[in-house]
Amino acid sequence: MKVLIYNEFVHESHEGPAKDMYPRGMHMAISEGLQKIDDSLEFSYATLEDHKDVITKEKLADTDVLVWWGHMRHHLVDDDVVTLICEAVNQGMGLVVLHSGHESKVFRRLMGTRCGVEWYERQDHGRIWILDPTHPIAQGVPNPLEIEAEETYAEPFTVPTPDELIGVTWWQGGEIFRGMSVYHRGFGKIFYFHPGHETLPSYYNPGVIRAIDNGIHYVAPRVRVDEVTSHHIEPHEPKY
Amino acid sequence: MKVLIYNEFVHESHEGPAKDMYPRGMHMAISEGLQKIDDSLEFSYATLEDHKDVITKEKLADTDVLVWWGHMRHHLVDDDVVTLICEAVNQGMGLVVLHSGHESKVFRRLMGTRCGVEWYERQDHGRIWILDPTHPIAQGVPNPLEIEAEETYAEPFTVPTPDELIGVTWWQGGEIFRGMSVYHRGFGKIFYFHPGHETLPSYYNPGVIRAIDNGIHYVAPRVRVDEVTSHHIEPHEPKY
Amino acid sequence: MKVLIYNEFVHESHEGPAKDMYPRGMHMAISEGLQKIDDSLEFSYATLEDHKDVITKEKLADTDVLVWWGHMRHHLVDDDVVTLICEAVNQGMGLVVLHSGHESKVFRRLMGTRCGVEWYERQDHGRIWILDPTHPIAQGVPNPLEIEAEETYAEPFTVPTPDELIGVTWWQGGEIFRGMSVYHRGFGKIFYFHPGHETLPSYYNPGVIRAIDNGIHYVAPRVRVDEVTSHHIEPHEPKY
Amino acid sequence: MKVLIYNEFVHESHEGPAKDMYPRGMHMAISEGLQKIDDSLEFSYATLEDHKDVITKEKLADTDVLVWWGHMRHHLVDDDVVTLICEAVNQGMGLVVLHSGHESKVFRRLMGTRCGVEWYERQDHGRIWILDPTHPIAQGVPNPLEIEAEETYAEPFTVPTPDELIGVTWWQGGEIFRGMSVYHRGFGKIFYFHPGHETLPSYYNPGVIRAIDNGIHYVAPRVRVDEVTSHHIEPHEPKY
């Protein structure tokens, strides 16, 4: 299973609380967490700085699941790379979108909506309640999954109705959030999962890592096609 | 109820079978059909030729429902106009996408998928079966709705799972198609309805016109906002 | 619009906190609240004591929407009456299920599941967040809808995935609940809405009453049939 | 994987076309077909005649997936057995409902609807179009799956909207049918699949057998609980 992690890697590349929390970057914290519980994953990485070189059509064709963390520099992500990624998802590549990736160009283009949230940053306690304990992504994840401190993302979350609503987060401050969902787009699946503020320890939380690991396996491609388009057919002659 | 009909208006603007079928253009055939059964609609029109002048931010703000018919010239529709339309839908404007509009930039951007179909053109008989006879769009529409001759659009239709699957079409040639569906995007709703090949008489079919009329009313905005975005809030202070 | 309210009417028929809160019974508090904002509703009533006499096949055929409140005496509701109600819903009658009605025979039979909740009674504050501000049931309802004190119902709520998930409740105690949902069954629709503990003032809350009023209109029948069954047909000869 | 097949076994137990087609009964034809492609399944059987003895609470607790074929004798199935089965499904047991099982007590009780179809018997050609080629149940199943001759089941099919609509059948006679769907009920999943008239060879069709095999694996329990009910909890103390 080939997993490519994109991390904007701006916050943690400078001295400050993000680097204090994730000294080698969030991408490394995520992959190290995953490697402890799952030896089937083979990782590679991209950052804002090198993403145009790394995330090529060939690389995406050789990637099972792309994991995306971005925040303040969404606008600097190259539009052609975004197009390649959205095509790859529609052809079957899996995508895991974390935290502030909800406003990334990739996620917004795949959703067709603004993907806005109400938010504040108070390090509130969050508690993710699993609605479907039988879902593959929920296996081994505590119910509820306690997040000791997080940035609060709240409804209305302007996304389409999720194809699979796995969990809803309760917030100490009084809000709720559909922050653990799966969307289907073409031959691909997308897992959105909200924990992961850059100065908070969510990626050291074993339940969070378990959910990300389950999510990677869940969105991994079962069927992958080279192209999705319209086809002129003769009657009774399907293409997929 | 202010309805703006976009018609590419290339096929019917030249001598040939499309002009023979729809001498004043498909947009006029649609609006004339609607006016016979519904005097609450006020129409305006845009074509490929004038769409950049007509479809402005101000015009969209003053439009309840946009109806879209395009075919061979999707690529010539201005990208900034597409952006304005997608924003307007997310803010609450209704959208009705007809026939080959499934591959329009507008529809594809709102869906996040390729929106491809399998297709052939043999003037086959189609029969639209209503799955939910209680749906507002189905009221007064015969079940099944017989389409005497149409271009065949068939599955796999690479769209997200519809939020509301109203009808599925049976084709004489042996295919089926989810061609009567509603999708929700932000504060807006989109009705996709497949009849309407440029050389065939579907827009003179009273059941087709009834469904389009019902669709216009169904996707008309109940709530409309000036902007959809993320908001920084204080706890307990929602924006919508 | 003919609305029949069933209220178990055991708690409030004896001296105690329920009678103190709802001296004439919850059914009367609900109908009085609704009448203040909606003069289109014509009410009749049934209680556990008289339900076998009142809720007949003829009465149901003359009812647009049945509102159901029951709690400790679900098991005493007559099975034949339950069968009649479930048939009427499948034929198009609307149903509004309130609070502890989630465990009523009627609701459980229509859902096909146990409809269990996690619960405690501490008069906690609840806050219902509207996920879809454009939904007809949300119109005029504050977002969030604050419930000053309620019995806590929490996930996992063992119901099928709602056809329309309108609101999710945040609880002071740390839980969440899908307590504002619509389910479709046959030609009928069911609105489940969780506020309404017998000793607490939720039915004096204008937002709660507004949601119930909207819900009644939303589930009211658009199409109603005399019977739902299988039909032997000739090809091309549908029955609905 | 322990699979229990219930077959009414009335048609094929007497001389006639059903026995000619399935000499040892449809249950044996199904299990023999499955065994050829999947050696992980361990079968046991029940028929109308012995179902009260075989389908006990203990047997269901030791069954991963129950496969159900019934037709003219639905009314003779014991109500207590039906109750046990519905409880087992809600606790996590998988269920595969075939063909005329759509009107079985078990399926109707789990759906909460009448589960009626329009039907005729003309041995028409059916063609099952897969809507989601990535679904686990679709793997290895031809798209379309051609059914050379079947009893026609047609819309409106009065079931709830499927949680997962995998395939829709095109019929030679002019109808369509949502005959390949998954429903979730509590901790259990139900796969409905329409082929299987007693005098026609569908259970010798490798694509049909492949879909049933995939369906068995898809609905097999991932999580199973001893009881589904409401729980009185202390705050923050979930039960599942």
Side-chain angles (χ1 to χ4, degrees):
Chain A
M1 177 86 75
K2 294 182 180 177
V3 178
L4 170 58
I5 305 184
Y6 168 84
N7 178 15
E8 193 176 281
F9 197 42
V10 173
H11 298 288
E12 322 97 290
S13 63
H14 301 85
E15 299 302 321
K19 189 168 183 182
D20 293 345
M21 184 58 75
Y22 297 108
R24 302 182 60 213
M26 276 183 288
H27 49 306
M28 296 312 296
I30 292 167
S31 68
E32 287 163 11
L34 291 168
Q35 275 166 326
K36 278 184 207 157
I37 60 169
D38 183 353
D39 58 12
S40 75
L41 307 179
E42 184 182 320
F43 292 99
S44 57
Y45 308 94
T47 64
L48 178 62
E49 196 175 351
D50 65 15
H51 79 284
K52 288 172 67 171
D53 297 324
V54 174
I55 308 180
T56 60
K57 186 164 182 169
E58 293 67 35
K59 177 67 180 175
L60 292 170
D62 194 40
T63 295
D64 293 301
V65 179
L66 172 64
V67 177
W68 194 271
W69 195 103
H71 186 209
M72 298 299 288
R73 302 293 190 279
H74 291 317
H75 59 290
L76 297 182
V77 173
D78 186 73
D79 282 332
D80 292 340
V81 170
V82 171
T83 298
L84 287 176
I85 293 170
C86 292
E87 281 177 2
V89 170
N90 271 277
Q91 292 163 9
M93 185 184 73
L95 178 67
V96 174
V97 174
L98 295 174
H99 192 60
S100 43
H102 72 88
E103 286 204 299
S104 63
K105 291 178 182 176
V106 166
F107 190 60
R108 288 172 59 186
R109 204 186 284 181
L110 287 165
M111 295 298 103
T113 63
R114 181 60 180 74
C115 303
V117 299
E118 314 295 287
W119 64 278
Y120 55 87
E121 196 180 326
R122 224 179 51 174
Q123 306 201 11
D124 273 17
H125 187 90
R127 179 175 292 132
I128 305 177
W129 290 95
I130 303 294
L131 300 180
D132 177 7
T134 73
H135 196 284
I137 293 183
Q139 303 314 300
V141 177
N143 186 13
L145 170 55
E146 306 282 353
I147 309 292
E148 64 176 279
E150 253 304 341
E151 186 176 19
T152 298
Y153 286 176
E155 299 286 336
F157 185 17
T158 50
V159 280
T161 299
D163 291 293
E164 306 172 50
L165 178 58
I166 303 163
V168 170
T169 300
W170 171 96
W171 291 108
Q172 182 183 354
E175 283 76 22
I176 60 123
F177 189 57
R178 289 172 295 169
M180 192 181 189
S181 297
V182 170
Y183 304 85
H184 301 198
R185 290 294 180 269
F187 289 76
K189 287 205 277 281
I190 301 142
F191 174 44
Y192 175 74
F193 191 44
H194 79 80
H197 189 61
E198 63 272 11
T199 60
L200 296 171
S202 291
Y203 295 136
Y204 300 120
N205 180 326
V208 169
I209 292 296
R210 169 56 65 200
I212 294 173
D213 187 51
N214 289 344
I216 287 170
H217 285 277
Y218 189 68
V219 303
R222 190 174 291 114
V223 176
R224 200 153 179 178
V225 294
D226 290 335
E227 191 193 35
V228 183
T229 184
S230 285
H231 300 101
H232 183 265
I233 58 170
E234 296 304 309
H236 313 184
E237 188 197 80
K239 281 299 185 301
Y240 299 120
Chain B
M1 177 87 74
K2 294 181 181 177
V3 178
L4 170 58
I5 304 183
Y6 168 83
N7 178 15
E8 192 176 280
F9 197 41
V10 173
H11 298 288
E12 324 96 290
S13 63
H14 300 85
E15 298 303 322
K19 188 169 184 179
D20 293 345
M21 183 58 76
Y22 296 110
R24 302 183 60 212
M26 277 182 288
H27 50 305
M28 296 311 296
I30 293 167
S31 68
E32 286 164 10
L34 291 168
Q35 275 166 327
K36 279 184 204 157
I37 60 169
D38 183 351
D39 59 12
S40 75
L41 307 179
E42 184 182 320
F43 292 98
S44 57
Y45 308 94
T47 63
L48 177 62
E49 195 175 351
D50 65 15
H51 80 282
K52 289 172 68 169
D53 297 323
V54 173
I55 307 180
T56 61
K57 186 165 182 170
E58 295 67 37
K59 178 66 180 177
L60 291 171
D62 194 41
T63 295
D64 293 301
V65 179
L66 173 63
V67 177
W68 195 271
W69 196 103
H71 186 209
M72 298 300 287
R73 302 293 188 281
H74 291 318
H75 60 289
L76 298 182
V77 173
D78 185 73
D79 282 332
D80 292 339
V81 171
V82 171
T83 298
L84 287 176
I85 292 170
C86 292
E87 282 177 0
V89 170
N90 271 278
Q91 292 164 9
M93 186 183 74
L95 178 66
V96 174
V97 174
L98 296 173
H99 191 59
S100 42
H102 72 88
E103 287 205 298
S104 63
K105 290 178 182 176
V106 167
F107 190 59
R108 288 172 58 186
R109 204 185 286 181
L110 287 165
M111 294 298 103
T113 63
R114 181 59 181 75
C115 303
V117 299
E118 314 295 288
W119 64 278
Y120 56 87
E121 197 181 326
R122 223 179 52 174
Q123 307 202 12
D124 273 17
H125 187 89
R127 180 176 291 134
I128 305 176
W129 289 95
I130 304 294
L131 300 180
D132 177 7
T134 74
H135 196 283
I137 293 183
Q139 303 313 301
V141 178
N143 187 12
L145 170 55
E146 305 282 353
I147 310 292
E148 64 175 280
E150 254 303 342
E151 185 176 18
T152 297
Y153 286 175
E155 297 286 336
F157 185 19
T158 51
V159 281
T161 298
D163 291 293
E164 307 171 49
L165 178 58
I166 303 163
V168 170
T169 300
W170 170 97
W171 292 109
Q172 181 183 354
E175 282 77 22
I176 60 123
F177 189 57
R178 288 172 296 169
M180 191 180 189
S181 296
V182 170
Y183 303 86
H184 301 199
R185 288 296 179 268
F187 289 77
K189 287 204 278 282
I190 300 143
F191 173 44
Y192 175 73
F193 191 45
H194 79 79
H197 189 61
E198 64 271 11
T199 61
L200 297 170
S202 291
Y203 295 136
Y204 299 122
N205 179 326
V208 169
I209 292 296
R210 170 56 65 199
I212 294 173
D213 188 51
N214 289 345
I216 287 170
H217 286 277
Y218 189 68
V219 302
R222 190 175 291 116
V223 175
R224 200 153 179 177
V225 294
D226 290 336
E227 191 192 33
V228 183
T229 184
S230 284
H231 299 102
H232 183 264
I233 58 169
E234 296 303 312
H236 312 185
E237 188 198 79
K239 281 297 183 300
Y240 298 120
Chain C
M1 177 86 74
K2 294 182 182 177
V3 178
L4 170 59
I5 304 183
Y6 169 83
N7 179 15
E8 191 176 283
F9 197 42
V10 173
H11 298 288
E12 323 97 288
S13 64
H14 301 85
E15 298 303 320
K19 188 169 184 181
D20 293 344
M21 183 58 75
Y22 296 108
R24 303 182 59 212
M26 277 183 287
H27 50 306
M28 296 311 296
I30 293 168
S31 68
E32 287 164 11
L34 290 167
Q35 275 166 328
K36 279 184 203 155
I37 59 169
D38 184 351
D39 59 12
S40 75
L41 307 179
E42 184 182 319
F43 292 99
S44 56
Y45 308 95
T47 63
L48 178 61
E49 196 175 351
D50 65 16
H51 80 282
K52 288 173 69 171
D53 298 322
V54 174
I55 307 179
T56 61
K57 186 165 183 171
E58 295 67 36
K59 178 66 180 176
L60 291 170
D62 195 41
T63 295
D64 292 301
V65 179
L66 172 64
V67 177
W68 194 272
W69 196 103
H71 186 208
M72 298 299 289
R73 302 293 189 282
H74 291 317
H75 59 290
L76 298 182
V77 174
D78 185 74
D79 282 332
D80 292 339
V81 171
V82 171
T83 298
L84 287 176
I85 292 170
C86 292
E87 281 177 1
V89 170
N90 271 277
Q91 292 164 9
M93 187 184 73
L95 179 66
V96 175
V97 174
L98 295 174
H99 191 60
S100 42
H102 73 88
E103 287 205 298
S104 63
K105 290 179 183 176
V106 166
F107 190 60
R108 287 172 58 186
R109 204 186 286 181
L110 287 165
M111 294 299 102
T113 63
R114 181 58 181 76
C115 303
V117 299
E118 314 296 286
W119 65 277
Y120 56 87
E121 196 180 327
R122 222 178 52 173
Q123 307 202 11
D124 273 16
H125 186 90
R127 180 176 290 134
I128 305 177
W129 290 95
I130 304 294
L131 300 180
D132 177 7
T134 73
H135 196 284
I137 293 183
Q139 303 313 301
V141 177
N143 186 13
L145 171 55
E146 305 281 355
I147 310 292
E148 64 176 278
E150 254 303 342
E151 185 176 18
T152 298
Y153 285 175
E155 298 285 338
F157 185 18
T158 51
V159 281
T161 298
D163 291 293
E164 307 172 48
L165 178 59
I166 303 164
V168 170
T169 300
W170 170 97
W171 291 109
Q172 181 183 354
E175 283 77 22
I176 59 124
F177 189 57
R178 289 172 297 170
M180 191 181 190
S181 296
V182 171
Y183 303 85
H184 301 198
R185 288 296 179 269
F187 288 77
K189 287 205 278 282
I190 301 143
F191 173 44
Y192 175 73
F193 191 45
H194 78 80
H197 189 61
E198 64 271 11
T199 61
L200 297 171
S202 292
Y203 295 136
Y204 299 120
N205 180 326
V208 169
I209 292 296
R210 169 56 65 200
I212 294 173
D213 187 51
N214 289 345
I216 287 170
H217 285 277
Y218 189 68
V219 302
R222 190 175 291 116
V223 175
R224 199 154 179 176
V225 294
D226 290 335
E227 190 193 34
V228 183
T229 185
S230 285
H231 300 101
H232 183 266
I233 59 170
E234 296 303 311
H236 312 183
E237 189 197 79
K239 280 298 184 300
Y240 298 121
Chain D
M1 177 87 75
K2 294 182 181 176
V3 178
L4 170 59
I5 304 183
Y6 168 83
N7 178 16
E8 192 176 282
F9 198 42
V10 172
H11 298 287
E12 322 98 289
S13 62
H14 301 86
E15 299 303 320
K19 189 169 182 181
D20 293 345
M21 183 59 75
Y22 295 109
R24 302 181 60 213
M26 276 182 287
H27 49 305
M28 296 312 296
I30 292 168
S31 68
E32 286 163 12
L34 291 168
Q35 274 165 327
K36 278 184 206 156
I37 60 169
D38 183 352
D39 58 13
S40 74
L41 308 179
E42 184 182 319
F43 292 99
S44 57
Y45 307 94
T47 63
L48 178 61
E49 196 175 350
D50 65 15
H51 79 284
K52 289 173 70 170
D53 298 324
V54 174
I55 308 180
T56 60
K57 187 165 182 170
E58 294 66 37
K59 177 67 180 175
L60 292 170
D62 194 40
T63 295
D64 293 300
V65 179
L66 172 64
V67 177
W68 194 271
W69 196 103
H71 186 208
M72 297 300 287
R73 302 292 189 281
H74 291 318
H75 59 290
L76 298 182
V77 173
D78 185 72
D79 282 332
D80 293 339
V81 170
V82 171
T83 298
L84 287 176
I85 293 170
C86 292
E87 282 177 1
V89 170
N90 271 277
Q91 292 164 8
M93 186 185 72
L95 179 66
V96 175
V97 174
L98 295 173
H99 192 59
S100 42
H102 72 88
E103 286 205 299
S104 63
K105 290 179 182 176
V106 166
F107 190 60
R108 288 172 58 185
R109 204 186 285 181
L110 287 165
M111 294 298 103
T113 64
R114 182 57 180 76
C115 304
V117 300
E118 315 295 288
W119 64 279
Y120 55 88
E121 197 180 327
R122 225 180 48 176
Q123 307 202 9
D124 273 17
H125 187 88
R127 179 176 291 134
I128 305 177
W129 290 94
I130 304 295
L131 300 179
D132 177 6
T134 74
H135 196 284
I137 293 183
Q139 303 315 300
V141 178
N143 186 12
L145 170 55
E146 306 281 354
I147 310 292
E148 63 176 279
E150 253 303 341
E151 185 176 18
T152 298
Y153 285 176
E155 299 284 337
F157 185 18
T158 51
V159 280
T161 299
D163 291 293
E164 306 171 50
L165 178 59
I166 303 164
V168 169
T169 300
W170 171 97
W171 291 108
Q172 182 183 354
E175 283 76 23
I176 59 122
F177 189 56
R178 289 172 296 169
M180 193 181 188
S181 296
V182 170
Y183 303 86
H184 301 198
R185 289 294 180 269
F187 289 77
K189 288 205 276 282
I190 301 142
F191 174 44
Y192 176 73
F193 191 44
H194 79 79
H197 189 62
E198 64 272 11
T199 61
L200 296 170
S202 291
Y203 295 135
Y204 299 121
N205 180 326
V208 169
I209 292 296
R210 170 56 64 200
I212 294 172
D213 187 51
N214 289 344
I216 287 171
H217 286 277
Y218 190 68
V219 303
R222 190 175 291 114
V223 176
R224 198 152 180 178
V225 294
D226 289 336
E227 190 194 35
V228 183
T229 184
S230 285
H231 300 101
H232 183 265
I233 58 170
E234 295 304 308
H236 312 185
E237 188 197 80
K239 282 296 184 304
Y240 299 120

